[in-house]
């Protein structure tokens, strides 16, 4: 194996998360240039810690100094010193041409800077769980924490092009570019769903699913010496319009229809590092959320293809079956209605079909129509309750937008109804209605149901998983 092949194999092993092979390649450089061998060993250690999200674990996260960030910082400084030494003494290396080595060292410095930025962005996402997103968005000209991270990702994308676009880092560089793009499209999909932009959400989720699939495939297809026997396997799933459009990123979400395939899917999913697994979990979370928000639109499409229980077919293979959870809660505890109300605002156009043809004049909904149900169980929205619901929403904005607040409660003695409301997104409120005034015995269960539903729909629990991945 010549020097260039050794460089390529090292980057491909690192890009395929094969750190055992990368360390073996690093030892081969001892005979070529010992300092570079040491740099590769340190890089392999850093990459292993990074892809396991170790820097977000509680024992690391609450340290005054960020250990992994410092490791990348010191590695960049050490690499910069080696660049200076090589440029001043090119004959000290046992290779006829030091140009490829110098290019790789420069790319390594850039990679360290990119990883440091990534560390800060993941930490910012984790901190966003404790932020009042709606209040923060209204009072911060830069937008919500998610929008700030999205802007920073755009800057990072430009920064990463230096070390990723010219193939100097092989599969490792490709992985960096894919990770940036996938995180970008996840956050864009999140915003599109919250803004009830069906077409934008579809495009973002499809792009994310495709990038994640391509990244995994590239890792699996790598062939190099010293390759470890850790290649993951992919599960073949039933092809439907949903899997063609979005697919399912995780393994084993087939509701028990194929236990053997499910076991293989779960096993293969565990073989991936935590970064890829978490991105897949967030994709699954947003896919389920989109299916709930655009349930009416998607159900109409499903009815064209499925005559026997299209609603069940729509939610098949989705990790979080919100529809089943809502129907089960309503049946068990006697709720008159459980639904999601979208509050139309002047800043974000609302279209009931989720999109509009270019050039179509926009006429915003007025009055009661500016608070439409985007999901309702039973299917017929309770129009007679809308004046009360709108009044509660308009009079309780501060409580609703507080992420630490429990769902709010209101009882109307005149019509004998009780309402529970909780804010999910900036525009969306979860509503539970009982046709009785006295529901104290069901209140704890109702509050728990709504709190859990809101946490999952907001992605709070999924983002918290960043620090819990094992």
């Amino acid at each position: 194996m010549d020097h260039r092949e050794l460089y390529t194999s090292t980057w491909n092993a690192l890009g395929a998360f094969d750190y055992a092979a990368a360390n073996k390649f690093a030892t081969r450089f001892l005979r070529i240039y010992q300092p570079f061998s040491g740099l590769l060993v340190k890089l392999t250690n850093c990459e292993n810690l990074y892809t396991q999200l170790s820097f977000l674990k509680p024992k690391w996260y609450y340290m005054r100094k960020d250990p992994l960030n410092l490791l990348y910082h010191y590695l960049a400084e050490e690499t910069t010193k080696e660049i200076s030494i090589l440029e001043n003494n090119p004959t000290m290396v046992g290779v006829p041409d030091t140009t490829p080595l110098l290019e790789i060292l420069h790319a390594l410095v850039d990679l360290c800077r990119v990883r440091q930025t990534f560390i800060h962005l993941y930490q910012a996402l984790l901190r966003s769980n404790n932020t009042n997103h709606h209040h923060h968005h209204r009072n911060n000209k830069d937008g919500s924490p998610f929008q700030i991270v999205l802007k920073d990702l755009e800057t990072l994308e430009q920064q990463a092009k230096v070390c990723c676009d010219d193939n100097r880092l092989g599969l490792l560089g490709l992985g960096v570019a894919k990770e940036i793009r996938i995180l970008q499209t996840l956050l864009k999909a999140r915003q599109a769903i919250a803004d009830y932009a069906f077409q934008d959400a579809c495009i973002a989720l499809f792009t994310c699913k495709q990038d994640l699939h391509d990244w995994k495939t590239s890792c699996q297809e790598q062939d190099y010496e010293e390759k470890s026997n850790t290649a993951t396997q992919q599960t073949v799933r039933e092809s439907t319009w949903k899997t063609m459009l979005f697919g399912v990123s995780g393994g084993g979400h087939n509701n028990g229809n194929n236990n053997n395939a499910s076991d293989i899917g779960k096993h293969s999913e565990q073989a991936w590092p935590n970064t890829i697994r978490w991105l897949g979990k967030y994709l699954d979370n947003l896919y389920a959320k989109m299916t709930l928000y655009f349930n009416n639109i998607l159900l109409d499409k499903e009815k064209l293809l499925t005559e026997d229980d299209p609603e069940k077919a729509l939610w098949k293979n989705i990790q979080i079956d919100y529809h089943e959870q809502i129907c089960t809660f309503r049946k068990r505890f006697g709720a008159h209605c459980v639904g999601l109300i979208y509050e139309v605002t002047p800043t974000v156009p609302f279209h009931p079909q989720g999109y509009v043809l270019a050039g179509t004049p926009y006429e915003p909904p007025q009055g009661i129509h500016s608070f439409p149900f985007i999901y309702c169980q039973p299917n017929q929205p309770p129009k007679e309750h809308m004046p009360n619901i709108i009044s509660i929403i308009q009079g309780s904005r501060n409580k609703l937008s507080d992420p630490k607040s429990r769902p709010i409660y209101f009882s109307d003695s005149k019509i004998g109804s009780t309402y529970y409301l909780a804010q999910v997104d900036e525009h969306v409120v979860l509503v539970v209605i009982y046709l009785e005034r006295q529901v104290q015995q069901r209140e704890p269960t109702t509050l728990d149901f709504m709190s859990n539903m809101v946490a999952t729909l907001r992605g709070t629990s999924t983002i918290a998983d960043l620090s819990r991945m094992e």
Side-chain angles (χ1 to χ4, degrees):
M1 183 183 293
D2 63 25
H3 296 156
R4 286 186 179 273
E5 288 177 336
L6 190 53
Y7 293 142
T8 301
S9 295
T10 304
W11 303 133
N12 289 346
L14 284 169
F17 317 107
D18 191 348
Y19 302 117
N23 275 320
K24 291 177 182 178
F25 288 132
T27 60
R28 296 194 187 187
F29 281 101
L30 285 171
R31 292 171 290 179
I32 303 170
Y33 186 44
Q34 185 174 351
F36 184 56
S37 175
L39 293 176
L40 285 180
V41 170
K42 292 176 182 178
L43 174 63
T44 302
N45 179 53
C46 287
E47 288 294 292
N48 194 5
L49 292 171
Y50 172 81
T51 57
Q52 295 308 315
L53 298 175
S54 300
F55 57 95
L56 296 176
K57 298 289 189 293
K59 64 180 180 181
W60 282 46
Y61 183 67
Y62 293 107
M63 287 184 179
R64 295 182 64 182
K65 293 184 178 180
D66 186 338
L68 186 56
N69 189 41
L70 285 175
L71 287 176
Y72 276 114
H73 172 75
Y74 294 143
L75 179 56
E77 284 193 338
E78 191 174 343
T79 306
T80 302
K81 290 177 182 178
E82 287 301 327
I83 291 172
S84 178
I85 293 171
L86 265 180
E87 288 176 339
N88 293 324
N89 303 279
T91 58
M92 68 182 295
V93 186
V95 292
D97 184 10
T98 59
T99 301
L101 180 56
L102 282 169
E103 289 178 349
I104 287 172
L105 289 174
H106 280 290
L108 179 53
V109 173
D110 294 331
L111 173 67
C112 290
R113 303 306 184 205
V114 168
R115 287 301 194 213
Q116 286 181 285
T117 304
F118 254 130
I119 289 169
H120 291 312
L121 291 180
Y122 278 119
Q123 289 172 337
L125 281 178
L126 199 55
R127 286 194 300 269
S128 72
N129 264 5
N130 300 318
T131 302
N132 185 332
H133 300 155
H134 320 302
H135 179 78
H136 188 281
H137 179 65
R138 289 194 296 268
N139 293 278
N140 190 327
K141 64 180 181 180
D142 295 323
S144 73
F146 293 99
Q147 290 171 322
I148 294 171
V149 170
L150 193 54
K151 290 177 183 177
D152 290 341
L153 279 168
E154 293 172 359
T155 303
L156 180 61
E157 186 176 31
Q158 297 302 315
Q159 178 187 349
K161 284 183 178 180
V162 179
C163 64
C164 298
D165 280 5
D166 58 5
N167 205 35
R168 280 184 295 172
L169 296 182
L171 181 62
L172 180 58
L174 173 68
V176 171
K178 288 292 186 185
E179 187 174 359
I180 293 171
R181 182 173 165 88
I182 290 168
L183 194 52
Q184 275 183 319
T185 50
L186 282 172
L187 296 181
K188 288 179 180 178
R190 176 195 170 278
Q191 190 60 52
I193 295 169
D195 290 342
Y196 207 72
F198 177 65
Q199 184 171 307
D200 292 343
C202 284
I203 293 171
L205 286 176
F206 174 77
T207 302
C208 180
K209 175 254 179 182
Q210 194 63 49
D211 279 334
L212 194 57
H213 175 269
D214 291 346
W215 187 7
K216 289 182 174 182
T217 301
S218 296
C219 292
Q220 291 172 318
E221 291 177 347
Q222 292 305 310
D223 188 21
Y224 46 83
E225 290 185 25
E226 311 288 1
K227 186 172 183 178
S228 303
N229 188 24
T230 58
T232 56
Q233 303 176 55
Q234 293 297 313
T235 306
V236 178
R237 295 185 177 88
E238 176 186 359
S239 179
T240 67
W241 70 270
K242 297 196 301 297
T243 54
M244 289 293 290
L245 183 58
F246 306 113
V248 182
S249 63
H253 305 317
N254 58 8
N255 296 333
N257 294 329
N258 187 335
N259 291 332
N260 190 36
S262 176
D263 291 341
I264 292 174
K266 290 177 181 177
H267 171 74
S268 66
E269 208 49 34
Q270 290 298 318
W272 293 108
N274 289 344
T275 44
I276 282 188
R277 288 174 54 214
W278 182 81
L279 292 169
K281 284 179 66 117
Y282 200 14
L283 175 59
D284 286 340
N285 176 273
L286 291 174
Y287 178 31
K289 180 176 180 177
M290 176 184 168
T291 307
L292 181 67
Y293 275 36
F294 301 103
N295 186 79
N296 295 332
I297 298 172
L298 295 172
L299 190 57
D300 286 342
K301 185 175 182 62
E302 192 68 52
K303 287 176 180 177
L304 299 175
L305 304 173
T306 308
E307 294 182 2
D308 184 20
D309 203 346
E311 202 140 38
K312 184 177 180 180
L314 175 64
W315 287 92
K316 182 181 180 181
N317 291 329
I318 297 178
Q319 185 179 14
I320 310 169
D321 191 338
Y322 290 116
H323 178 71
E324 177 65 25
Q325 290 179 17
I326 289 171
C327 290
T328 300
F329 169 81
R330 181 169 170 264
K331 182 178 180 180
R332 185 174 179 182
F333 296 98
H336 172 63
C337 172
V338 179
L340 295 172
I341 291 179
Y342 186 97
E343 181 181 2
V344 181
T345 62
T347 55
V348 180
F350 175 82
H351 306 284
Q353 71 277 21
Y355 63 94
V356 68
L357 297 175
T360 304
Y362 174 61
E363 297 182 4
Q366 301 294 327
I368 195 172
H369 301 292
S370 61
F371 290 84
F373 271 90
I374 57 174
Y375 174 87
C376 187
Q377 212 29 245
N379 293 328
Q380 190 65 34
K383 295 181 180 179
E384 68 278 12
H385 293 276
M386 287 308 297
N388 276 345
I389 294 173
I390 294 172
S391 177
I392 297 169
I393 292 174
Q394 292 177 332
S396 309
R397 295 197 187 279
N398 289 336
K399 288 185 178 179
L400 283 171
S401 63
D402 183 355
K404 297 180 181 180
S405 174
R406 297 279 277 172
I408 64 172
Y409 160 89
F410 178 80
S411 181
D412 188 323
S413 57
K414 291 183 179 179
I415 62 174
S417 297
T418 302
Y419 306 89
Y420 292 90
L421 286 80
Q423 189 103 31
V424 180
D425 291 319
E426 184 180 355
H427 302 280
V428 178
V429 175
L430 173 64
V431 180
V432 175
I433 304 173
Y434 289 100
L435 294 183
E436 305 105 312
R437 283 175 292 176
Q438 304 298 326
V439 293
Q440 285 90 343
Q441 70 277 14
R442 281 170 285 184
E443 182 165 309
T445 306
T446 302
L447 294 178
D448 287 343
F449 165 77
M450 295 182 73
S451 295
N452 292 335
M453 183 74 67
V454 167
T456 312
L457 284 171
R458 282 182 182 171
T460 305
S461 52
T462 304
I463 292 173
D465 284 340
L466 277 167
S467 64
R468 297 194 294 248
M469 300 291 288
E470 296 295 341

